Amino acid sequence: MGYDRAPDRVLIVHDPATAGSPALPLAIPGAEIVEARSFSSYQEELAKSDFDVVVIDYDLPGTQRPEVLAELKVRDNEPDVLIFSKCEDASTIRRISQSQKRYVVRDEMWVESIGRAVRDMLRIRKLEGENYQIRARLTESNRQLEERNTRLDEFCATIAHDIRGPLSGLILKIDYILERYREGLDPKCADMLSRSMDSAQRLVGVVQSMYEFAKLGRDGTEFASVELAPLAREVIADLRGGARCQVTLEAASLPAVRGNAGLLRRALINLFGNSIKYGDKEWVIISLTSPGRVVGRDCPMLEVLVRDNGPGVDSAQAKSLFEMFSRGKHGTSGPEGLGVGLAVVKRIMELHGGSIELVQDGRPGCCFRVLLPLA
């Protein structure tokens, strides 16, 4: 990636005649070297233009005043500063270095040392400038992406809302016809109307799922410390009432995570609900364990494994498992789902800065690996 950048400019404040030392020849490819042989000349050059690096002879009259370095620090471009002097006093060197200035003692190798130091300072400054531009572009790209995602969510919610109204009216009309005129209808016609109403009701469910999926981002703005194990036990207690089988939860003691309790509850309902719905045994066992902490890029993450004793997921289904409207093969005779449950779970994890993935370790059952930020 290329960047349009003006040539590096270096200002050298040094007078060989007064300092009793040779001239300071700096040959730096691609850099413009400007020399000031007095303090007044130095001020004139600074007033005319900006410099990337300023090299100051600290033995030159006028340069030792405190405001000299302070003025450089408050300039808009804030040039890097290198001080050189015959002084080898440790306290003086320490005092100058504390203000983040580089210091070179004028010894037998001082000219070479200054040349190397200036080249390093220019190289680092260039890299910092490029990094700043990259961060600025990434920040702008992220802002545009967030705006587009927000508009997309709003669009989905609007479309879902607009479709849901006419569909509900259609269902009411079909239901009215079936209830009032069923006995006088041709059996084939009545069957077609019943199937049409079932399809319309299913479509309403799809539209409602789209609407709720689009609202997830807006619902997840409030974050706090959440205890996963007690939350999981509450979810299981709620699901047991409508389950066709016995359900047992084995939840280990887990550290608190930082998240939205409502969204995390919904994620657990979807995960546990799938285990119950697809379970092929009379006694469904769900376990919630943590192998330990995982250090993330921005904050420490908690790794949680959600495992059941069901039939598991074959490799063909694994690729599309978290996609919207992707339905797995049912192990029960219950109603077919819409295929949005795991897509919702994935979205909830992403809203928390975490993730979810299917673990295929050869063991029986289905296992999901969840990462959530620690509280």
Side-chain angles (χ1 to χ4, degrees):
M1 183 181 294
Y3 298 92
D4 296 329
R5 192 174 186 274
D8 297 318
R9 304 190 77 240
V10 180
L11 176 61
I12 301 175
V13 188
H14 171 56
D15 185 5
T18 12
S21 59
L24 186 56
L26 286 183
I28 301 175
E32 179 186 349
I33 310 296
V34 178
E35 190 173 8
R37 298 203 168 196
S38 67
F39 183 69
S40 59
S41 176
Y42 155 74
Q43 290 178 312
E44 291 173 3
E45 292 293 343
L46 278 183
K48 288 191 293 185
S49 59
D50 289 329
F51 293 88
D52 297 289
V53 175
V54 177
V55 182
I56 299 178
D57 181 355
Y58 215 51
D59 299 326
L60 188 69
T63 58
Q64 295 187 15
R65 291 183 295 177
E67 62 267 21
V68 173
L69 298 181
E71 288 172 354
L72 291 174
K73 197 168 184 64
V74 296
R75 288 180 69 88
D76 289 340
N77 72 315
E78 192 180 348
D80 294 327
V81 180
L82 186 148
I83 303 293
F84 66 95
S85 170
K86 291 183 293 186
C87 176
E88 299 185 39
D89 179 61
S91 61
T92 302
I93 296 174
R94 184 167 55 252
R95 176 172 55 82
I96 294 174
S97 300
Q98 281 175 348
S99 59
Q100 297 181 345
K101 307 294 183 295
R102 298 188 67 165
Y103 189 94
V104 172
V105 177
R106 188 190 281 120
D107 53 18
E108 65 275 4
M109 299 293 292
W110 70 282
V111 175
E112 292 82 356
S113 298
I114 288 178
R116 286 194 301 270
V118 171
R119 285 192 290 272
D120 288 344
M121 292 164 76
L122 289 174
R123 190 179 301 114
I124 292 171
R125 191 176 179 89
K126 181 179 179 181
L127 290 173
E128 288 175 344
E130 291 177 352
N131 286 337
Y132 175 81
Q133 293 188 49
I134 291 172
R135 288 197 302 271
R137 292 184 182 188
L138 287 175
T139 301
E140 177 63 18
S141 297
N142 287 336
R143 185 189 64 79
Q144 293 177 358
L145 183 61
E146 288 175 1
E147 288 181 357
R148 289 174 183 174
N149 285 338
T150 300
R151 288 198 296 268
L152 181 61
D153 288 346
E154 291 173 352
F155 174 77
C156 290
T158 302
I159 292 298
H161 180 270
D162 292 344
I163 293 176
R164 190 170 45 183
L167 276 176
S168 299
L170 179 62
I171 291 171
L172 287 174
K173 291 179 177 68
I174 296 175
D175 185 55
Y176 174 80
I177 293 172
L178 287 174
E179 184 176 346
R180 181 146 188 181
Y181 302 106
R182 180 183 291 273
E183 294 181 1
L185 289 174
D186 178 78
K188 186 176 181 179
C189 181
D191 182 63
M192 289 177 63
L193 285 173
S194 296
R195 289 176 181 272
S196 297
M197 188 167 73
D198 291 342
S199 298
Q201 288 175 333
R202 181 172 180 77
L203 188 53
V204 167
V206 170
V207 170
Q208 180 66 23
S209 297
M210 289 175 58
Y211 178 71
E212 293 176 356
F213 188 83
K215 288 201 315 175
L216 283 176
R218 285 175 284 173
D219 292 342
T221 54
E222 295 183 4
F223 285 74
S225 177
V226 180
E227 299 285 347
L228 278 182
L231 183 62
R233 284 191 282 269
E234 292 176 10
V235 170
I236 287 294
D238 292 339
L239 292 175
R240 278 198 183 107
R244 58 168 182 79
C245 55
Q246 298 294 324
V247 183
T248 298
L249 173 70
E250 299 175 351
S253 177
L254 300 173
V257 298
R258 181 177 180 273
N260 180 284
L263 291 181
L264 291 177
R265 176 187 294 274
R266 183 168 180 180
L268 291 177
I269 288 173
N270 290 0
L271 285 174
F272 296 166
N274 276 357
S275 295
I276 295 171
K277 180 168 62 176
Y278 293 111
D280 57 351
K281 299 176 178 63
E282 293 184 1
W283 202 297
V284 174
I285 301 174
I286 302 171
S287 66
L288 207 66
T289 59
S290 175
R293 299 183 180 188
V294 176
V295 178
R297 290 179 301 174
D298 301 321
C299 64
M301 308 290 283
L302 176 68
E303 180 183 13
V304 180
L305 296 180
V306 182
R307 187 184 296 274
D308 63 33
N309 63 338
V313 178
D314 59 46
S315 55
Q317 293 175 283
K319 296 179 181 178
S320 59
L321 200 60
F322 296 99
E323 296 177 2
M324 284 285 285
F325 309 119
S326 173
R327 294 188 295 270
K329 295 178 181 178
H330 286 261
T332 73
S333 57
E336 188 178 359
L338 296 173
V340 298
L342 289 180
V344 168
V345 175
K346 182 182 178 183
R347 176 66 172 150
I348 289 174
M349 296 305 148
E350 290 172 348
L351 289 171
H352 285 76
S355 62
I356 182 171
E357 62 180 356
L358 178 69
V359 177
Q360 293 181 299
D361 52 7
R363 296 174 58 182
C366 185
C367 180
F368 292 100
R369 179 177 182 261
V370 174
L371 290 182
L372 285 169
L374 281 162

